[in-house]
Amino acid sequence: MKELVIISGKGGTGKTSFAASFAYLAGENAVLADYDVDASDLHILLEPKIKKTYQFYGGKKANIIREKCIGCGKCQEICRFDAVKNVDDKFEINKIDCEGCGYCYRICPVDAIKFEDNLSGKWYISKTRRNSTLVFAKLGIAEENSGKLVSKIKEVAHNLANENNKDLLISDGAPGIGCPVIASLSNANYVLIVTEPSLSGFHDLKRILELVKHFGYSAGCIINKYDINENITKEIEIFSHNNELEIIGKIPYSDSFPKSLVLKQTVVEYDKLDIGKTVERCWSKLQTKL
Amino acid sequence: MKISVASGKGGTGKTTFAVNFSLFLNNIKKNKIVLVDLDVEEPDCHIFLRAINSNRKKCFREIPKVNEKCNLCGKCAEICEFNAIAVANTEVIIFPDLCHSCYACIELCPQEAFNIENIEMGEIHWGIITSNNFYFVEGKLKIGEVMAVPMIKQTKNFSIEKFGENSYFIFDSPPGTSCPVIEATKDSDFVVLVTESTPFGLYDLKLAVETMQKLRKKFGVVINKAGIGNQEVYHYCKDEKIPILGEIPYSRGIAELYSQGRDIISIPFIKESFRKIEEKIINLV
């Protein structure tokens, strides 16, 4: 089984639109995963039916039992995250600020602090309208541990692909260059970077490629909206050539993307002739890389 | 005044708004305007400002370092909730990427066998942008460094200390709804949520709204690329009584200016739109 992970460094370059199109084209042959657990969007276009829902416990949180608290303030003194507040001479923990280190509950002289598993999100196994399996998640508001949740989704998607003898996993990666995207990339067979020819897009492409190379993955890129700035497109092409980043395709600026999105269709369904064909060619090329 | 600019997802035009709004404010306000790029994983404001920040400051976070007093008792590994410490037969292994700098291991070690080590996590850059009163600060995380929150915190605190509470701060926040965006918005007087009127935009806006409600922040919405998509974002805001502060229209011309890293406040209708946004924010704070 091979995994294709699609990332972008920067948001808004069209990563999810491409992931959804490839998922549509692959149909039943692929398992799909959405690693953007903060703002997972792939399901919006694939409209899956949820088959199973699971709870995700990431880390722990401390909670002070008001009746037991003697107001000594030790917990507030040692908390490095300013999570402990004094309320009428007793103490309370702000759940949003608590990082779950457990230091406070260990030093509380009267055992007034509970330290419990924290429900930080949910994840789902679902069937898309193309009859493929999609694994995605929804992280609770203001929760962390997104790297761990990404790893969980990845593990489940890999297992499902293997159990069902699917030879392909298409994954919509997390944004950024931090922990979630590093977790997205683990064991990827090929990384597709979606970029756009703007000064900021190029800047982020360089940063994300540095990360991809750091971990030794092979990668290609799609330049979306390539005609919006042909000078930067040229620069990206030269940069790609010099950095062993293969150009998988160039897509022109087109209204088909927002228009298909509004109809909750993938662009290959909406625009079968022009943009759709170009995206299909990218897909054919990508398959040879896996 | 502290205003954070946030969005559920990336690519909605957060940076475009933050930069151009700051430039706009610089023309009409007497206060110091300080634009702070807190999207420390991918700070992009500098590209639009053509900023050459001559001032740089390395940022560090503190992690434990074992000294010779260690007798391998294993207490540190037992108490570390982040699995950042492992005790092997002959040594204690520390994984800096997992460490949250909570100090529990350092202060609870029975042998006092830990010192503190500073590890570099990134840099703060800052400088004056124009001859006017417009300053720019940027936090930039090192590649491969995973802890965004301490970097955001240090960048934010540095800016406030350096330029004073009386300045007009615009914080360009990271995308998403988890810890980094909480850190970037929690001290602000007002949060501008930038969205676009598509199903992706609406879905992510709802998450951002939930986050701001949980933080009990005052907030309003700016609709970017207005004209593409549908009316659902407008209906949602109306139903939920969320103020729409203004719009930036969808236009290839703006996309081209953006790609070149140019500002858009020279366009008269943008200037007018920003004037109204500023007015509405003042009424809401």
Side-chain angles (χ1 to χ4, degrees), chain A residues 140-156:
Chain A
I141 298 295
E143 294 293 349
E144 62 162 343
N145 282 304
S146 50
K148 272 192 206 164
L149 185 49
V150 169
S151 301
K152 180 76 202 174
I153 303 282
K154 181 171 274 243
E155 181 198 323
V156 172

Side-chain angles (χ1 to χ4, degrees), chain A residues 60-242:
Chain A
K60 295 182 169 185
K61 297 253 165 168
N63 189 17
I64 298 175
I65 307 157
R66 208 173 156 78
E67 298 70 48
K68 282 195 179 178
C69 176
I70 52 165
C72 72
K74 262 205 134 62
C75 50
Q76 189 178 43
E77 224 170 87
I78 57 95
C79 178
R80 289 301 197 290
F81 310 107
D82 298 326
V84 185
K85 300 272 168 296
N86 186 333
V87 182
D88 305 327
D89 294 330
K90 294 206 173 187
F91 290 87
E92 282 178 8
I93 289 172
N94 180 347
K95 234 187 139 189
I96 293 177
D97 289 326
C98 174
E99 296 222 3
C101 71
Y103 191 177
C104 57
Y105 105 90
R106 290 175 193 280
I107 56 117
C108 175
V110 292
D111 285 334
I113 303 180
K114 278 196 292 185
F115 192 52
E116 292 172 330
D117 284 341
N118 176 49
L119 176 65
S120 62
K122 287 182 177 165
W123 56 275
Y124 311 93
I125 296 178
S126 66
K127 268 271 183 278
T128 69
R129 59 191 165 83
R130 289 287 276 172
N131 212 23
S132 49
T133 300
L134 165 68
V135 190
F136 68 104
K138 194 179 169 191
L139 193 67
I141 298 295
E143 294 293 349
E144 62 162 343
N145 282 304
S146 50
K148 272 192 206 164
L149 185 49
V150 169
S151 301
K152 180 76 202 174
I153 303 282
K154 181 171 274 243
E155 181 198 323
V156 172
H158 272 255
N159 289 343
L160 283 168
N162 287 328
E163 280 163 24
N164 298 304
N165 295 320
K166 305 287 182 197
D167 44 18
L168 186 60
L169 173 58
I170 301 172
S171 307
D172 192 1
I177 60 157
C179 181
V181 75
I182 292 171
S184 300
L185 290 173
S186 90
N187 295 320
N189 297 91
Y190 195 75
V191 177
L192 175 68
I193 306 173
V194 180
T195 186
E196 56 175 31
S198 62
L199 286 176
S200 59
F202 191 20
H203 173 256
D204 293 330
L205 171 67
K206 288 176 187 163
R207 251 166 105 74
I208 193 74
L209 186 64
E210 207 178 311
L211 183 88
V212 168
K213 295 267 159 170
H214 177 83
F215 290 106
Y217 297 107
S218 44
C221 93
I222 284 182
I223 309 175
N224 195 15
K225 309 178 195 168
Y226 81 88
D227 52 344
I228 202 129
N229 191 326
E230 307 230 18
N231 290 334
I232 299 180
T233 294
K234 197 139 273 151
E235 280 181 53
I236 293 177
E237 286 174 311
I238 294 166
F239 170 82
S240 300
H241 181 78
N242 293 338

Side-chain angles (χ1 to χ4, degrees), chain A residues 9-10 39-41 80 99 101 103 106 142-144 176-178 199-200 203-204 207 229 253 255 261-262, chain B residues 41-44 47 79 81 100 103 107 141 176-179 186 199 203-204 210 229 250 252 255 258-260:
Chain A
K10 169 182 165 42
S40 115
D41 280 347
R80 289 301 197 290
E99 296 222 3
C101 71
Y103 191 177
R106 290 175 193 280
E143 294 293 349
E144 62 162 343
I177 60 157
L199 286 176
S200 59
H203 173 256
D204 293 330
R207 251 166 105 74
N229 191 326
Y253 183 85
D255 285 351
L261 192 52
V262 167
Chain B
E41 281 188 36
E42 296 151 67
D44 275 349
I47 294 167
I79 58 179
E81 290 292 330
H100 286 224
Y103 279 67
E107 290 169 12
L141 204 61
T177 55
S178 59
C179 308
K186 70 179 186 191
Y203 182 82
D204 298 320
E210 262 185 71
Y250 177 67
R252 187 176 169 128
Y258 169 84
S259 81
Q260 296 157 15

